[in-house]
Amino acid sequence: MLSIEDVQVFYGNIRALEGVSLHVKQGEIVTLIGANGAGKSTLLKTVSGLLKPKKGRVLLEGKEIGGKAAQLIVKKGISHVPEGRRVFANMTVEENLQLGAYLRKDKEGLKQDYEKVYSLFPRLLERLKQQAGTLSGGEQQMLAMGRALMAKPRLLLLDEPSMGLAPLLVKTIFRIIEEINQAGTTILLVEQNAHLALSIAQRAYVMETGRIVLSGTSDELTSSDQVKMAYLGGH
């Protein structure tokens, strides 16, 4: 579904991605693990059109999307839940969700998708008229994911969904990620919590300083000594 081929991305003169290649098949959860600053968020931003690759290709179902405008990429079926959630703090929960759906014209489908988001995240229904900035961190994460789902993505990019959340909430968020996937959405997940990420993904890639250094099934990486030492606390 998604192919990234030999992609290089620069911030000014600094190379952030050095010839990264990976692929995500339809229906999969694929996770990207690695230390802070490894280039994981940069890669997601490149897929969603927030950054332009200097070299290489980004293909969605065989068609080049690298360097296209972010709103066109949303139209093609890719939604991005950024690191740090980035909800519109001064708008209500409802307005944030409406913004997620701003490109859509299908009234009936929209109604169903609002219902779907409320069933995944009942807390949002309780808080509809509340300003997003007054929500807890966990509720803001739910809102950011709900907002992305309102664009009806076929591919969902999730950047650090567990960041700063209490362990119990993290479990809930990850259960919901699995539900979203089971309902038919393909997921590319960036996550610091390698243990959790590997537990729900089918395949994984390890990034270090802008390069992919390891890839394989989640089971292979979970049992790799290198991954255990670096990302799973040696267990």
Side-chain angles (χ1 to χ4, degrees):
M1 185 178 202
L2 177 73
S3 295
I4 294 167
E5 299 174 357
D6 197 25
V7 161
Q8 286 189 10
V9 173
F10 285 76
Y11 289 116
N13 294 326
I14 298 160
R15 191 183 295 178
L17 295 180
E18 299 194 29
V20 170
S21 297
L22 61 80
H23 69 277
V24 181
K25 293 182 194 141
Q26 194 164 348
E28 282 189 310
I29 298 179
V30 172
T31 188
L32 208 48
I33 57 177
N36 262 339
K40 306 183 303 295
S41 296
T42 300
L43 187 65
L44 292 194
K45 286 176 183 166
T46 306
V47 174
S48 67
L50 297 174
L51 291 172
K52 284 186 165 48
K54 186 100 179 229
K55 179 176 174 262
R57 307 198 302 161
V58 182
L59 304 170
L60 180 67
E61 290 161 340
K63 294 193 176 75
E64 175 74 73
I65 58 166
K68 286 206 179 347
Q71 65 270 27
L72 291 177
I73 291 176
V74 172
K75 253 187 183 153
K76 290 185 185 299
I78 297 180
S79 282
H80 186 173
V81 181
E83 186 180 359
R85 308 183 255 284
R86 305 285 175 88
V87 296
F88 297 101
N90 300 329
M91 293 181 165
T92 64
V93 166
E94 190 171 27
E95 287 164 342
N96 268 270
L97 292 174
Q98 286 167 347
L99 270 176
Y102 83 104
L103 285 174
R104 292 179 58 182
K105 305 281 182 281
D106 54 324
K107 290 272 188 320
E108 268 315 296
L110 269 177
K111 218 170 106 185
Q112 286 172 356
D113 284 342
Y114 280 117
E115 296 303 325
K116 214 180 283 175
V117 166
Y118 300 147
S119 73
L120 281 171
F121 306 107
R123 196 86 57 88
L124 296 183
L125 188 54
E126 295 163 23
R127 306 261 194 277
L128 270 188
K129 302 297 178 197
Q130 201 169 313
Q131 278 199 328
T134 64
L135 301 177
S136 71
E139 289 162 350
Q140 287 189 13
Q141 184 61 51
M142 291 173 185
L143 179 56
M145 287 167 69
R147 181 180 63 189
L149 289 174
M150 286 310 300
K152 214 179 170 82
R154 292 173 299 133
L155 173 64
L156 184 61
L157 310 175
L158 286 170
D159 197 352
E160 302 288 5
S162 80
M163 190 187 269
L165 301 185
L168 202 61
L169 251 178
V170 172
K171 275 204 170 112
T172 304
I173 293 284
F174 270 73
R175 194 195 71 242
I176 293 165
I177 292 170
E178 285 189 286
E179 279 180 43
I180 292 167
N181 175 248
Q182 281 154 10
T185 306
T186 305
I187 293 174
L188 178 56
L189 167 70
V190 160
E191 179 53 61
Q192 284 275 292
N193 185 331
H195 237 300
L196 253 181
L198 290 168
S199 74
I200 68 164
Q202 283 86 42
R203 291 186 306 108
Y205 292 87
V206 179
M207 275 191 96
E208 281 173 18
T209 57
R211 289 194 176 96
I212 303 279
V213 292
L214 262 182
S215 68
T217 66
S218 292
D219 290 346
E220 285 165 354
L221 291 195
T222 303
S223 52
S224 140
D225 289 340
Q226 197 179 336
V227 172
K228 276 186 201 166
M229 288 304 291
Y231 305 108
L232 303 176
H235 304 310

